[in-house]
Amino acid sequence: IHSSHRTLRSAAQIFPNPAIQDISINTVGVGLAEELNIYDLNGRLVMTELIVTQQQRVSLQDLSPGVYLVHFAGEIHRLVKL
């Protein structure tokens, strides 16, 4: 019996998490000009940012402390804003 092991790589690294003021987005194999959307836990879109470089900072200053869902390049990341 053969088994194949796959390593799933995220299209982006989002850090720090939890975050206070801003986050950094490092993209891996994602085309530039990809939209990043942040939703609250009620499903409301609270922020949109266009990611145009492979390493980009995104300010979270307008967000209240809480838990958010970050949608980027077909993936969902959980983000905690302190």
Side-chain angles (χ1 to χ4, degrees):
I1 298 174
H2 294 283
S3 65
S4 64
H5 296 279
R6 287 189 197 173
T7 302
L8 297 177
R9 293 199 72 175
S10 177
Q13 296 174 337
I14 300 174
F15 60 93
N17 192 4
I20 296 172
Q21 186 172 338
D22 57 12
I23 55 175
S24 292
I25 310 294
N26 284 347
T27 61
V28 179
V30 176
L32 297 181
E34 187 81 26
E35 196 171 82
L36 177 137
N37 293 310
I38 300 178
Y39 295 86
D40 66 15
L41 292 183
N42 293 317
R44 289 184 296 237
L45 179 63
V46 294
M47 187 175 159
T48 298
E49 183 84 17
L50 190 61
I51 305 301
V52 295
T53 63
Q54 290 186 345
Q55 186 170 3
Q56 186 167 326
R57 293 189 87 110
V58 176
S59 173
L60 302 177
Q61 289 181 322
D62 293 338
L63 296 182
S64 299
V67 178
Y68 295 90
L69 299 176
V70 178
H71 290 225
F72 180 72
E75 297 179 347
I76 301 171
H77 300 264
R78 182 178 169 267
L79 173 68
V80 177
K81 165 78 172 12
L82 299 178

